[in-house]
Amino acid sequence: MWFLTNIYNKMAAKPWACAIDIVLAALLIYGMIVFLKKNNAGKLIAFVLVFVAAGIVLSSEFMDLPVVGSIMRYGIIIVIIVIVFVFPAETKRGLLKLASSRDTHEQYTTAYDVSDEDLHAAINDIVRAAQNMSKKNVGALIIISTQNLPEHIIDSGTKLDAVLSCALLESIFNTKAPLHDGAVFVRGNRIVAAGCFLPLSQSNAIDKELGTRHRAGIGVSENYNVLTIIVSEETGVISIAQHGELTRYFDSQMLTDKLEQTYGLQATPESTRKHHRRKEG
Amino acid sequence: MNKQKQENAKKPNGFVALLKKIFVHNFGWKVLSIVSAAVIWALAAGLL
C-alpha cells in the first residue's frame, strides 16, 4: 500500500515533471533498442532493463541491499562502456550522424511494409535470377535479411534502395559491371545495397574447393541472422548459407520454399523433405 | 520499369510518411520503450 501511496504523492506533487521523466526515459530506451537492433544485439536490451529494475528494487528500503543494488542500478553504465568497446565503429558513426542531422532520418527501420504479393514477386525474381546466373556460370552473392545489416557493411558497398527485379540482379552480377564483385543486400522486395564487402569465415571445416565468395557468404551468416544465396562461378551450383552452415545443390523449387520460409510465407512440405535429403554437412 | 512506376505511385506524401514513421514504424519497440520507462519510473517512485 505504501508503494502506491509513494507513487501517488510523487505524481500529485509534480505531475509535469513525472510525465517528462517518463517520456525522456522512454526516448532513451527506444534509442538504445534501435542502436542495438541495428547491430544485431537486441537481446542486450532485456539485460539492461532487468538490471535497472532489479537495481532499484534491491537498493530500496524494502530490500535494503545497498551494494548489490547500486551495482545493478548502474549496470546501464557498464552496458554503455561495453557497447563503446564492442561496437567502436558503430559508436563513432552514430556520434557523427548526431552531428550531421540530415543523415539521421535515413536510418533503416527494423520492419518493412510490403504486401505478401510483393514478397512473392521478389522471391520469384530472386529464384529466376539465381537460375539464369547458374546456367551461365555467373557468380553471385545475395544476402536476404528481414533485419538490418550493420551499417559498416552497407557503407562498404553502393546504396541502391531499388525495387528488386530479375534483370537488375543479373545486371549487378554481370562480370563487366563495376558492382559485381561483392554482395547484394536484399530486404523485403528492395535491393538496399550492392557491391558490399563481407567478413570471411575462418572455419577450417569449409571445403577447400569452395572459394572466397562461399567463405564470405558463410562468414556473414555466422555473424548475423541472414540467409545468403551463393551461385558458384566455377560450377553454377546454387548454395545457401544460414547460421554458418552451407547447404548446396538448391533447385528453383527448394530455393523458393527456403525464401518463403525466410520471409515468413507458407512453404510446401514436399520440397522441404527434398531439401533435407540433399543437405550436406 | 512499370514496377518502379507503381512503387513511386504507392509512395505516401511527406506528412503521411512522417506520421507513419512516428506511429507505425517499429510500433512494438516504441510500446516496449514506453512501458519499460513507466515500470522503471513507478519502481523508482514507489521504492526509493
Side-chain angles (χ1 to χ4, degrees):
Chain A
M1 197 61 196
W2 55 270
F3 174 78
L4 293 175
T5 314
N6 280 350
I7 293 174
Y8 176 77
N9 288 342
K10 286 223 168 140
M11 288 185 93
K14 287 179 184 172
W16 282 108
C18 296
I20 291 168
D21 201 13
I22 292 172
V23 169
L24 289 178
L27 286 174
L28 189 69
I29 292 169
Y30 182 68
M32 273 201 302
I33 289 174
V34 170
F35 180 84
L36 293 173
K37 283 294 288 178
K38 277 175 69 180
N39 292 292
N40 288 330
K43 284 177 186 168
L44 264 183
I45 196 71
F47 286 103
V48 179
L49 295 176
V50 170
F51 255 72
V52 174
I56 290 168
V57 174
L58 291 175
S59 61
S60 67
E61 289 174 16
F62 178 66
M63 294 293 284
D64 204 18
L65 298 170
V67 177
V68 179
S70 298
I71 290 170
M72 295 189 81
R73 212 168 146 192
Y74 298 111
I76 192 163
I77 295 169
I78 298 168
V79 171
I80 289 169
I81 291 168
V82 167
I83 286 171
V84 169
F85 279 99
V86 175
F87 304 113
E90 286 77 8
T91 309
K92 190 178 166 191
R93 192 170 291 117
L95 291 173
L96 285 173
K97 276 198 167 182
L98 279 179
S100 57
S101 59
R102 282 292 300 165
D103 291 343
T104 51
H105 75 283
E106 291 297 339
Q107 287 177 353
Y108 297 103
T109 57
T110 52
Y112 52 79
D113 185 19
V114 187
S115 69
D116 282 4
E117 277 178 19
D118 288 341
L119 288 180
H120 276 294
I123 289 169
N124 195 25
D125 282 336
I126 293 169
V127 172
R128 272 199 300 138
Q131 286 291 326
N132 292 345
M133 289 188 283
S134 167
K135 280 175 196 159
K136 294 174 199 161
N137 278 17
V138 173
L141 181 50
I142 304 168
I143 305 166
I144 316 275
S145 176
T146 50
Q147 298 176 335
N148 286 302
L149 277 182
E151 283 193 16
H152 68 87
I153 291 183
I154 295 170
D155 287 346
S156 69
T158 303
K159 286 185 185 175
L160 293 181
D161 194 24
V163 177
L164 190 149
S165 72
C166 176
L168 182 56
L169 276 177
E170 287 187 54
S171 305
I172 289 169
F173 289 113
N174 182 327
T175 47
K176 293 201 171 115
L179 294 179
H180 83 278
D181 198 17
V184 160
F185 173 36
V186 172
R187 195 161 162 270
N189 70 336
R190 300 190 82 85
I191 296 179
V192 178
C196 301
F197 296 117
L198 306 176
L200 298 183
S201 172
Q202 302 299 320
S203 171
N204 293 324
I206 298 171
D207 196 335
K208 300 291 178 210
E209 286 178 7
L210 302 174
T212 315
R213 183 173 283 119
H214 286 81
R215 264 190 191 274
I218 297 167
V220 73
S221 75
E222 280 172 352
N223 294 320
Y224 309 106
N225 184 21
V226 297
L227 179 88
T228 317
I229 301 171
I230 308 144
V231 182
S232 170
E233 200 171 346
E234 286 78 23
T235 59
V237 169
I238 300 172
S239 310
I240 276 190
Q242 196 172 23
H243 307 306
E245 280 192 18
L246 186 74
T247 314
R248 303 191 70 198
Y249 307 110
F250 269 74
D251 62 22
S252 58
Q253 185 57 52
M254 289 157 65
L255 191 57
T256 305
D257 289 346
K258 190 71 188 166
L259 288 171
E260 282 175 343
Q261 280 177 7
T262 305
Y263 278 117
L265 304 168
Q266 194 60 44
T268 56
E270 177 55 32
S271 59
T272 312
R273 280 202 295 277
K274 261 199 298 186
H275 164 80
H276 282 298
R277 278 205 299 273
R278 290 195 190 187
K279 191 171 177 180
E280 286 190 354
Chain B
M1 194 67 186
N2 283 337
K3 220 172 177 183
Q4 190 72 47
K5 276 180 189 169
Q6 281 170 7
E7 187 68 21
N8 288 337
K10 268 194 263 177
K11 275 184 183 171
N13 62 41
F15 183 66
V16 176
L18 180 69
L19 285 180
K20 211 171 171 187
K21 197 167 187 176
I22 293 169
F23 294 107
V24 178
H25 287 173
N26 299 337
F27 182 72
W29 293 117
K30 283 170 185 163
V31 171
L32 179 72
S33 309
I34 294 165
V35 171
S36 307
V39 169
I40 288 169
W41 184 88
L43 281 173
L47 294 173
L48 299 179

